[in-house]
Amino acid sequence: MSTTTINLIDSFQEFKDFKNIDRPTVISVLEEVFRSMLRKKYGTDENCDVIVNPDNGDLEIWRTRKVMEDGFSEDDDLEIELAEVHQYDPTLEVGDDYIEQITLESFGRRAILAARQTLVSKVLELEKDEIFKKYKDRVGEIVTGEVYQVWKKETLVLDDEGNELLMPKTEQIPADYFKKGDSVKAVISKVEMINANPKIIISRTAPEFLQRLFELEVPEIFDGLITVKKIVREPGERAKVAVESYDDRIDPVGACVGMKGSRIHGIVRELKNENIDVINFTNNISLYITRALSPAKITSIKLDDETKHASVYLKPDQVSLAIGRGGHNIKLAGKLTGYEIDVYREAGEEDEDVDLEEFSDEIDSWIIDELKAIGCDTAKSVLALTVEDLVKRTDLEEETIKEVVQILQSEFE
């Protein structure tokens, strides 16, 4: 390499740190910055050739000026007079081209420092754009990273290239606990540019995360033999997954669960023991709701397709199963099927129960209506639920519910 050649990689050490920009792009930016420097110094870069070696980062700059008779030069940036050019090359004649190589030192220390700053700024912008484009196309994919820092409201995760990923507390499973250095798996849920900086949000609570985990564990889903129709979740508590097979020889539920639960166990562990119900999808709404309310066994269903409302009747010992702990089972079944589901206790002949209307003298009618709205139309159907469940499922205060429960219990004492 000649002493006048500019080695850009040696001169600008910062470029060694850029991860997401390919060498040709960096060289292109370098060339443009040097052309800008030429325009500032000489007024134009039209008569300059910037030659870049993309393999090692070497760059040479050559400036061409037309040789003119003494006193006839009109633009010193494009032309040079004979007497001056003979100081450098006495063999040149009028009309010839005088070609000189521009050295890095000729720009001056201040200009070089400004160029370095401009270059770093431009490449940083390009790098941010590249990160944004890269992750924008990966929304919905699973990514594995290393926890770098844990804050109160979010966790900073670094991917294998050192890019920053943010996982807000709202996107974490309640039982998640991370410390620096932990490996974490999540789905890319949102990518946006804020103040020229890419913000990549990852999630462990999104339904897409559960779907990607199924695709990893169940080859039939990855290959398209089984389709995941819909997923609904209460992260860390319960999830319902509706699946369908296009091959009659494949049992979609069995394939997802695996032999002795081998496939689903890994997913459950990843989701901190989230209870996962895998359901065979069907267009028969009654059957779909029956399956969605599993593990409860339903006696009968009345559907109102116009209002998307389902009245489900069960034996007394199945009511709490249908509702589920914290009301999660019935809530997720409603989300999965798209129907508002009310659960009613089917009284047998041997059952002694009392309709809530019988207590209208002691319990306000609006309270009775509120209880009926969640499928509790008899005393025992209310008593089958805990106070906590009733508080969650109704708009009633805890004290009000306790008073109601006391009144109902006294009926059977």
Side-chain angles (χ1 to χ4, degrees):
M1 184 178 75
S2 67
T3 55
T4 53
T5 302
I6 303 170
N7 187 281
L8 300 170
I9 303 304
D10 289 342
S11 300
F12 300 95
Q13 294 295 320
E14 292 90 342
F15 298 136
K16 293 181 179 179
D17 299 327
F18 293 117
K19 308 177 288 293
N20 295 287
I21 308 298
D22 55 52
R23 180 60 62 85
T25 303
V26 172
I27 297 301
S28 173
V29 173
L30 291 167
E31 181 180 341
E32 176 52 38
V33 169
F34 272 88
R35 284 195 172 276
S36 176
M37 292 171 69
L38 288 166
R39 289 193 291 271
K40 284 183 181 178
K41 184 172 181 179
Y42 299 115
T44 181
D45 67 327
E46 292 177 11
N47 58 331
C48 296
D49 291 315
V50 180
I51 303 170
V52 178
N53 183 337
D55 294 326
N56 58 16
D58 288 349
L59 179 144
E60 297 177 6
I61 302 175
W62 299 90
R63 183 183 180 215
T64 302
R65 286 187 287 174
K66 183 71 70 178
V67 179
M68 306 294 290
E69 290 185 16
D70 293 343
F72 281 86
S73 175
E74 296 180 354
D75 188 343
D76 291 339
D77 291 326
L78 299 173
E79 301 167 344
I80 185 169
E81 294 185 354
L82 191 61
E84 183 184 350
V85 81
H86 277 174
Q87 297 176 22
Y88 313 113
D89 188 347
T91 64
L92 292 177
E93 302 288 342
V94 172
D96 290 344
D97 287 334
Y98 169 59
I99 302 173
E100 62 179 323
Q101 188 169 16
I102 307 298
T103 64
L104 179 62
E105 292 78 12
S106 68
F107 289 105
R109 183 173 178 275
R110 183 174 293 179
I112 293 170
L113 290 174
R116 178 183 282 113
Q117 189 174 351
T118 303
L119 285 166
V120 172
S121 175
K122 282 182 174 292
V123 176
L124 273 173
E125 282 181 26
L126 278 171
E127 186 181 39
K128 289 174 182 178
D129 285 341
E130 285 300 315
I131 293 171
F132 176 77
K133 290 175 186 174
K134 172 185 173 182
Y135 275 96
K136 190 72 175 174
D137 295 335
R138 293 183 62 195
V139 170
E141 288 184 20
I142 274 190
V143 63
T144 301
E146 182 179 306
V147 174
Y148 183 73
Q149 200 161 359
V150 179
W151 297 301
K152 187 176 181 181
K153 293 186 177 180
E154 58 190 3
T155 297
L156 177 62
V157 178
L158 301 182
D159 69 5
D160 54 5
E161 293 180 348
N163 297 315
E164 295 184 352
L165 316 173
L166 282 174
M167 183 163 56
K169 198 70 176 175
T170 54
E171 302 299 327
Q172 298 175 32
I173 296 168
D176 279 340
Y177 174 77
F178 302 115
K179 59 184 184 296
K180 186 171 182 178
D182 284 350
S183 178
V184 61
K185 191 180 290 183
V187 70
I188 301 165
S189 65
K190 186 165 66 173
V191 180
E192 53 190 351
M193 194 69 93
I194 298 176
N195 298 326
N197 290 307
K199 186 176 182 181
I200 303 154
I201 304 296
I202 57 176
S203 172
R204 286 171 54 80
T205 62
E208 291 79 13
F209 182 49
L210 180 50
Q211 176 156 351
R212 298 295 168 263
L213 291 176
F214 266 103
E215 289 170 3
L216 291 173
E217 293 289 339
V218 185
E220 292 87 346
I221 292 178
F222 184 81
D223 294 338
L225 297 174
I226 294 174
T227 300
V228 177
K229 300 293 287 186
K230 192 171 183 179
I231 293 177
V232 290
R233 291 179 67 191
E234 285 289 331
E237 292 288 344
R238 198 179 195 106
K240 290 186 182 287
V241 183
V243 293
E244 185 178 30
S245 171
Y246 294 113
D247 188 334
D248 293 338
R249 295 169 296 178
I250 298 175
D251 169 22
V253 175
C256 291
V257 174
M259 187 73 71
K260 295 183 180 179
S262 57
R263 290 177 172 177
I264 206 165
H265 280 166
I267 300 173
V268 170
R269 280 194 301 271
E270 180 65 42
L271 300 182
K272 306 297 181 184
N273 294 321
E274 189 170 309
N275 194 333
I276 302 173
D277 299 328
V278 183
I279 296 156
N280 205 338
F281 176 81
T282 175
N283 288 315
N284 182 325
I285 296 299
S286 293
L287 181 57
Y288 194 29
I289 291 173
T290 300
R291 290 172 177 173
L293 282 172
S294 174
K297 292 179 173 58
I298 294 168
T299 303
S300 61
I301 298 178
K302 291 181 181 177
L303 296 178
D304 186 335
D305 293 327
E306 287 187 10
T307 61
K308 295 282 185 179
H309 186 275
S311 298
V312 177
Y313 296 87
L314 310 96
K315 290 182 178 179
D317 61 342
Q318 297 296 307
V319 171
S320 58
L321 281 176
I323 293 170
R325 189 178 66 181
H328 294 313
N329 198 55
I330 192 169
K331 181 179 178 182
L332 291 176
K335 287 182 178 180
L336 188 72
T337 60
Y339 273 67
E340 183 183 342
I341 302 172
D342 283 335
V343 172
Y344 295 95
R345 178 178 178 279
E346 189 178 65
E349 291 179 6
E350 72 284 359
D351 292 329
E352 291 184 6
D353 204 348
V354 182
D355 195 291
L356 283 185
E357 293 293 344
E358 298 292 329
F359 297 90
S360 57
D361 291 341
E362 300 171 85
I363 302 173
D364 290 339
S365 59
W366 65 272
I367 296 176
I368 293 174
D369 291 340
E370 188 71 25
L371 292 168
K372 281 187 171 183
I374 64 165
C376 295
D377 55 349
T378 68
K380 285 189 176 179
S381 65
V382 175
L383 295 175
L385 303 176
T386 65
V387 172
E388 290 74 17
D389 285 343
L390 290 167
V391 169
K392 287 179 182 178
R393 298 195 60 209
T394 67
D395 291 330
L396 300 175
E397 297 289 336
E398 184 175 344
E399 286 303 316
T400 303
I401 289 172
K402 285 181 177 178
E403 289 176 12
V404 170
V405 168
Q406 191 174 359
I407 294 168
L408 299 180
Q409 284 176 338
S410 64
E411 177 69 22
F412 299 99
E413 291 174 354

